[in-house]
Amino acid sequence: MSADTTASEIHPVDRLRPVHSLLPFAIQHVLVMVATPISSVFLIASALSLPAGTTSAILSAVFVFSGLGSILQSVGVWKIGVRLPFVMLPGGAATILFITISQDTDPSTAVGAVLITGVFYIVAVTLFVKLLKFFPPLVIGIMVVVIGINLIQVTGGLMVGEPGSDSFGDPRNLFLGFITILITVLAFRFLRGMAGRLSIAIGLVGGTVVGGFMGMTTFGSQLDGPVVAVPTLFPFGPPTFDLIAAIPMLLWALASMAEATGQTIINGEIVEKKVEPSRDVPRLIRADGLVTLAGGLFGTPTMVTSGENVGIVRASGVRSRYVTAFAGILLILIGLSPLARILNGIPPAVVGGTAVVVFAIIAVLGIQMLARVDFTQTGSLITATVGLAAGLLPVLIPGMYSQFPPNVASLLGSGVAMAAFVSVLLNLLFHHTGKRNRHPKARTPIDDPSALEQRPGDYRI
């Protein structure tokens, strides 16, 4: 067997590209995701009034462990790491929970909650994997749509601003965000080869250049700080373990496991590699738990495998998991250098415009999954209808559960958690209880011309 034949038999996901090919695509992943760790740390620092030294140490730790997690998920070690092109980041909801627990108790208790959650991931995955049979493509598709729309809602705020703030709806920010999207679209349309695959990065760089001419970049103000940043063990002091205080984070961890299931399956579909949920989802969750446990020792919030790069993989068509592994190496280097601060000078509207494109791709992929579901079955139709409604309501109407107790509001306010919970229950109700398929299929004028005549008892959709 020739070397060329052997190489052709290697799946594109497992194919190691030359470094000169890996580097630009890895940089593209980093540029799109870099705003998340920076914003997470600055949010924590602002809410807890952290000194500059502590903030620098935590920023370094978040980048380093994001890089280590990305390498672990992409390369895999034994039964840890899913071996798909994934990156790892601090969870957005997890960051808010870290802040909330710190304010209600103290930061050392929040660190203890992160460590408890890391152990919980590793221990609970054995039980969770037994529930995967209740996550068919119908449920996964609903979750992926909600994940995409939720991410659009969050990152769109970088363009639009926070409601009620002076910058909300600022035409300059909107213009810069839309220019970024336009450059990205034009790059997809007119560029070919490697340049075309780098359209996301080209849009982000182009938007940043336009922002520079508009005086909206802040690279100069980011230069102050240490030349070398190093994570610090226990920056908040020894952790305090309080199981009651950790409950909100543990409940969120259950929702993140469900989200990880959807992300693993949709990533497998994108790269056209068969995913075995009972094998691959536990590998992903174990890696999340291990990195969360290690990162928590250095003050990071809970780390989770992110869907941010899934849209990039689909847009670029580059499926090699070594691209995201190389991106992990770059993240580690950024975490040990001033680059983490300097990259924060990219205008938020540019990051928002880029992210909106990437996350909209995720929502479309969820719609693509749902398109394969037989919606002539009333049970499938109602499951999707109510599941999407339950998941999208807290996304479209933030704070709708604010009158509930904080722990309950946190769980109900997670669109992905609600979409998963409601969809699984309805799928059980319609497809796993009582007589199967007892609900007649909906007839349409195309399938049956007589369906135009309304008759009592018919299911009309």
Side-chain angles (χ1 to χ4, degrees), residues 340-357:
R341 299 191 311 274
I342 294 172
L343 287 172
N344 193 44
I346 298 174
V350 173
V351 177
T354 301
V356 163
V357 174

Side-chain angles (χ1 to χ4, degrees), residues 64-89:
V64 167
F65 284 100
S66 291
L68 291 173
S70 301
I71 295 170
L72 184 57
Q73 291 292 21
S74 301
V75 177
V77 177
W78 189 53
K79 295 182 179 181
I80 303 173
V82 71
R83 295 180 175 88
L84 287 172
F86 267 125
V87 295
M88 191 176 291
L89 294 170

Side-chain angles (χ1 to χ4, degrees), residues 34-35 38-39 87 123 139 173 177-178 220 241 247 265-266 269 272 275 277 286 299 323 378 398 420 423 434 447:
V34 74
I38 292 173
S39 59
V87 295
V123 173
V139 173
N173 287 331
F178 290 139
F241 297 100
I247 287 176
I265 292 173
I266 196 66
E269 290 206 357
E272 297 179 343
V275 167
R286 288 189 196 105
V323 171
T378 304
S423 299
D447 298 326

